[in-house]
Amino acid sequence: MVVYLSRGADAGRLLERFNQVPAVDAVPSRAALLKRLGELTLSENELAMDRMGFQSIGQVLAQKFWYRLAYHLFREFPDQALTLAPAIEEKTGRFFLVGKGPEGPLFQLVLPREKVRAVLRNFQDQLLNDHQLALSPVPLKSLFKISATTEMDLEIRPLVEVLQADGERRYLEREELEKYRYGDLIYVKELGLLAELERPGAPERKFTAPVKMVLKKSQVPEFLQEYGSLLKDETQLVDASVKNLKIFDQAERLEILPEAIDRDWCWLSVRYGFGQSLVSLWDILETRREGQRYLAVPEGWVDCRAPEWDELAFLEEKGLKIPKAAPGEKLKL
């Protein structure tokens, strides 16, 4: 909780007050003297409570770590101005309050991350104003950058958007900022400021990713099925190559063209249109037969298990074989 920095004689007396020295019969330690002093100053009510095995609030408080530390500082530096200043350890991101005396730092209080905001707010008048850790009035915004790799995998990187004083937007890797996160505050080292992450009352995101993640091409359709709205969210950073990807759950057009007549057989070409792409009936049925759900097209994926294709189930139930021909495929009816 506390790192005591002073190496003077006061450091030894601090250990005594916390009873951290071997007991010596001839010379009682300061901790023993404090205990005896507390017993001698009990009120009548406290004495009665003590005989019944209870303690007053004052007795409990006097045994607390923080009370004993405050007592030590009061006894050692009664006439000297002690100040507190916030500081951040860059290597670990730990947040400190540094107690300073006339000759330099005396101690460091390690603040739990979730308590930093409350301490800065409640003790702003007591903290030195030279730390450059004042809360920025401009909130940080959490967003995602979604881009495609050369293999058409999706890379999703959580970012934090910082709106600078000149209006310029800057994007920082969320993963790199995590060690400087204190509850809903993040310290932006490059700008020397603490700012709030998101606005109070911001709606909870359906999709969250604390670190960078890569979705393999085979995983992308399921992601789009559930979080496709993320690509259309104008507040996210989405590459143009990704923004128009979609899941087709129905055909946009149907082409049935006669190819040839061979005696009593009629050869037809049956293809479905999805965006600028054409997909043959054979490919859709074959995808279903293989137990797969999605069929890739340049604009995204065709959901071959969508209700649109349930009407084709009779072909599978009858066990009809539809051979795949060369490009320009023909369906023999």
Side-chain angles (χ1 to χ4, degrees), residues 14-53:
L14 173 69
L15 291 177
E16 274 197 71
R17 290 180 173 116
F18 279 99
N19 203 23
Q20 296 297 309
V21 293
V24 179
D25 294 337
V27 182
S29 70
R30 284 176 170 79
L33 290 173
L34 285 173
K35 181 181 178 181
R36 182 60 180 151
L37 181 61
E39 293 170 349
L40 293 174
T41 56
L42 293 178
S43 66
E44 290 296 326
N45 287 336
E46 287 176 324
L47 285 171
M49 291 176 61
D50 190 62
R51 285 192 291 269
M52 293 185 290

Side-chain angles (χ1 to χ4, degrees), residues 46-238:
E46 287 176 324
L47 285 171
M49 291 176 61
D50 190 62
R51 285 192 291 269
M52 293 185 290
F54 297 99
Q55 290 184 321
S56 67
I57 294 177
Q59 287 176 284
V60 174
L61 178 63
Q63 298 172 23
K64 294 291 186 180
F65 171 84
W66 297 112
Y67 180 92
R68 195 62 60 90
L69 177 65
Y71 174 83
H72 167 78
L73 295 173
F74 175 76
R75 295 292 298 172
E76 295 294 331
F77 310 100
D79 302 321
Q80 301 178 29
L82 299 181
T83 58
L84 285 175
I88 293 175
E89 187 178 64
E90 290 195 3
K91 185 176 180 179
T92 64
R94 288 192 298 177
F95 202 104
F96 298 102
L97 288 183
V98 180
K100 298 180 179 180
E103 297 183 7
L106 292 174
F107 59 89
Q108 290 179 333
L109 306 180
V110 182
L111 292 183
R113 289 177 180 266
E114 66 277 7
K115 300 295 185 182
V116 169
R117 184 189 184 104
V119 169
L120 292 179
R121 181 178 63 245
N122 295 329
F123 294 92
Q124 57 183 340
D125 294 336
Q126 285 75 37
L127 299 179
L128 290 179
N129 197 27
D130 61 356
H131 52 273
Q132 298 181 353
L133 291 179
L135 295 183
S136 168
V138 179
L140 304 177
K141 183 171 182 179
S142 178
L143 47 78
F144 296 102
K145 177 173 176 56
I146 305 175
S147 54
T149 67
T150 53
E151 292 80 15
M152 284 308 293
D153 300 334
L154 279 193
E155 183 183 73
I156 302 173
R157 291 161 52 201
L159 300 180
V160 169
E161 179 187 83
V162 183
L163 184 61
Q164 301 183 86
D166 58 3
E168 182 181 350
R169 298 181 187 276
R170 186 170 180 177
Y171 300 98
L172 305 173
E173 295 285 347
R174 173 72 177 266
E175 186 176 3
E176 296 176 2
L177 292 175
E178 276 302 305
K179 75 174 180 179
Y180 296 117
R181 182 175 178 181
Y182 313 98
D184 59 354
L185 295 179
I186 287 184
Y187 173 58
V188 184
K189 183 175 64 173
E190 295 88 341
L191 304 178
L193 59 83
L194 269 171
E196 185 180 44
L197 182 62
E198 301 285 9
R199 292 188 297 271
E204 197 67 29
R205 272 208 183 97
K206 186 178 178 183
F207 174 78
T208 58
V211 296
K212 182 177 75 172
M213 59 186 296
V214 176
L215 296 175
K216 295 299 182 182
K217 188 176 181 180
S218 60
Q219 299 173 305
V220 174
E222 292 184 2
F223 173 81
L224 293 181
Q225 195 76 271
E226 189 165 1
Y227 305 111
S229 59
L230 192 66
L231 303 187
K232 299 178 177 60
D233 189 345
E234 294 298 328
T235 62
Q236 309 302 326
L237 297 179
V238 184

Side-chain angles (χ1 to χ4, degrees), residues 262-283:
D262 182 10
R263 296 185 181 180
D264 56 347
W265 293 100
C266 178
W267 293 88
L268 299 178
S269 172
V270 180
R271 296 187 295 180
Y272 295 90
F274 304 94
Q276 301 298 315
S277 305
L278 289 172
V279 175
S280 70
L281 172 60
W282 189 94
D283 286 330

